[in-house]
Amino acid sequence: MIFLVDFPLGGLAKWLRFCGFDATLMRLAPDKPGSWPPPRPQTHILTRQVACQRLKRPDLLILAAPDPEGQLAEVMQRLRLSARHLKPLSRCSHCNDPLVSLSRDLVQGRVPEHVFLHHRRFYECPRCHRVYWPGSHIQGITGALRDQLEQLGDRGVAPRNNRP
Ligand SMILES: [Zn+2]
């Protein structure tokens, strides 16, 4: 599933990527329908601009929640997404690029010592070279969504940029 996310909803785009969804930010102008991409299969456009309603696009979801976690819950609810649709630790939350597996040998020195000692699986973003691992990735997510992610057993941490 692909999401085109209205520019002010950067927090939501990040959480969607945490969950493994392809989420690209774009500026949506309700008064310039010509600047909008044509509808594509499996693609949803997310905004909080009520004025977009007049465009009557079937791929458009106008969200009410003011905070990223609430917006994510709203998207999941309205598209009937559940834990089985989520693939945590599969996409960089900053770049949206798919993560690649990283050999543990290449991780030493790039993550805190305790993380290296306590984790076996590591992933890297090929674009920004951030390292991810199962951990406290979902600390900012609340409620039902956290439970769903915990059931999947993947709780990745997005550390600061650790460029080699
Ligand atoms: Zn990245």
Side-chain angles (χ1 to χ4, degrees), residues 2-6 24-29 32-41 43-46 55 57-60:
I2 297 167
F3 292 100
L4 303 176
V5 184
D6 199 1
T24 303
L25 285 173
M26 64 183 307
R27 291 189 189 278
L28 297 173
K32 290 181 193 152
S35 68
W36 287 51
R40 283 179 298 184
T43 303
H44 298 274
I45 299 181
L46 307 177
L55 300 176
R57 288 185 58 130
D59 56 350
L60 184 65

Side-chain angles (χ1 to χ4, degrees), residues 89 119-123 132-137 153-157:
L89 280 185
H119 294 275
R120 303 241 145 253
R121 287 183 300 147
F122 294 92
Y123 305 88
Y132 290 78
W133 60 91
S136 57
H137 208 158
D154 253 336
R155 292 165 292 149
V157 172

